[in-house]
Amino acid sequence: MDHLKIGLVGVGFIGKQHIEAIRRIPGAEVVAVADSNPDAARAVAEQFYIPRWYGDHHELLDDPAVAVVHNCTPSSSHYQVNLDALDKKKHIYCEKPLTLTATKARELVVAARRAGVANGVNLNYRHNVMVKEMRERARTTMGKPYFAFGEYLQDWLMYDTDYDWRMNPAVGGESRAVADIGSHCFDTLQYALGKRIASVNADIINVFPVRKRCETTGETFSGAAGRVLEEIPVPSEDAASIILRFEDGTPGLVHISQVTAGKKNGLAVTLSGAEYSLEWHQEQADRLHVGHRNGGNEEIYADAKLLTPFARPFATLPGGHAVAWHDALRNAIGVFYQAIRSESYKTGETDYADFAAGWQMMCLVEACLESGRSRRWVDIPVETA
């Protein structure tokens, strides 16, 4: 299967990003899109010169040309679209979260194993070249890990007039900030350290228990305008502070916020080791800070000749040509497609987050909510065959 033909479900903000990323991968072609809004599906198909569009994802799944499906629908639709794709034996790549609950996520893990197809969740930050460099250095030369720190800070929901679909639990789920951006921070930390988060102690923060829905709202990050139509109770959290314990006992700490002024997409992770520390900021994605006690600190750029062999293939530009968010998304999808072509997904020898990892992430999110309610440490279940 050299030439992969792709069908994409959900043509909002993230769906369009997937289309652009796919077009940067040799041997991959988006041949169809689907959306519950047929006008939107048609418009995106025309905008991107995609030959077919559908107003129902079932029609796309019945398209014999489609071998791989990207699920870019709102969170509440993830479970059913994923399950329907698995029933049709289509390889499936889903936006996070995998589902709204760990129970439903576990059902998809079982269904994916039964279907025998490649399955992935878009936890794309692990596919930044410098995060891969971080992982290899943590594994080989950083020494015993002392601490792991992470933060993901945004400001796009800092006013009580900021309201979108994520705040409706029926559509966005019980958790918002932790599930939406905390999941990326957790996965990046776990991937960089090479260790699973085993337990959490969380302080869950709701700044605006009631928000105002305005006359016009746009896509994610676009803001609201016009007069206030109604006030709506919002049970999901705006922020969280979470103490972590990794499986080997390494302690960690994560701060999550969608209400911190001046922060746009402020994901940052730090590993503190016996030999040196490593620090990476998503908004300066082409750099890795290496901290030393007895010598000058270093700033490593995403230049292939400066990187370990593990990270080197992901540095696709010469040094000084910054890599960023779009590159990580392309890398994530490319790794998934390579697993399909090589059939390595059958053995589990893959570097992307599969449905089992998506289930573990939902367990982590739910553990944070339970910890916030009970004010105690909560353990994360371990995935079993």
Side-chain angles (χ1 to χ4, degrees), residues 90-209:
K90 306 281 188 179
H91 303 297
I92 177 72
Y93 192 75
C94 181
E95 265 301 314
K96 60 85 200 159
L98 178 59
T99 62
L100 295 185
T101 68
T103 298
K104 289 293 186 183
R106 185 64 187 166
E107 291 176 13
L108 289 179
V109 173
V110 174
R113 287 176 178 162
R114 186 181 302 121
V117 296
N119 53 91
V121 181
N122 187 36
L123 292 164
N124 55 292
Y125 290 104
R126 65 161 69 184
H127 296 285
N128 278 275
V129 58
M130 301 315 276
V131 174
K132 291 187 177 294
E133 180 72 5
M134 201 176 197
R135 177 182 173 90
E136 182 65 4
R137 287 171 176 251
R139 187 184 72 84
T140 57
T141 59
M142 186 187 75
K144 176 181 171 60
Y146 291 159
F147 308 102
F149 304 108
E151 65 177 35
Y152 204 149
L153 308 178
Q154 298 176 327
D155 68 1
W156 71 289
L157 296 175
M158 70 171 290
Y159 299 133
D160 66 353
T161 51
D162 294 322
Y163 182 88
D164 82 345
W165 61 267
R166 297 178 188 275
M167 298 175 190
N168 179 351
V171 181
E174 184 182 5
S175 173
R176 177 169 31 95
V178 174
D180 183 21
I181 58 177
S183 58
H184 280 305
C185 194
F186 295 146
D187 185 70
T188 307
L189 275 175
Q190 289 185 131
Y191 184 79
L193 190 60
K195 306 290 183 183
R196 181 183 63 86
I197 295 170
S199 56
V200 294
N201 194 330
D203 184 14
I204 303 296
I205 303 163
N206 191 337
V207 176
F208 295 116

Side-chain angles (χ1 to χ4, degrees), residues 134 146-152 185-186 188-190 192-193 242-244 246 250-255 267-273 277-280:
M134 201 176 197
Y146 291 159
F147 308 102
F149 304 108
E151 65 177 35
Y152 204 149
C185 194
F186 295 146
T188 307
L189 275 175
Q190 289 185 131
L193 190 60
I242 305 160
I243 306 172
L244 312 174
F246 289 84
T250 300
L253 181 65
V254 163
H255 292 297
L267 170 62
V269 294
T270 299
L271 304 182
S272 176
S277 66
L278 297 165
E279 184 176 353
W280 176 79

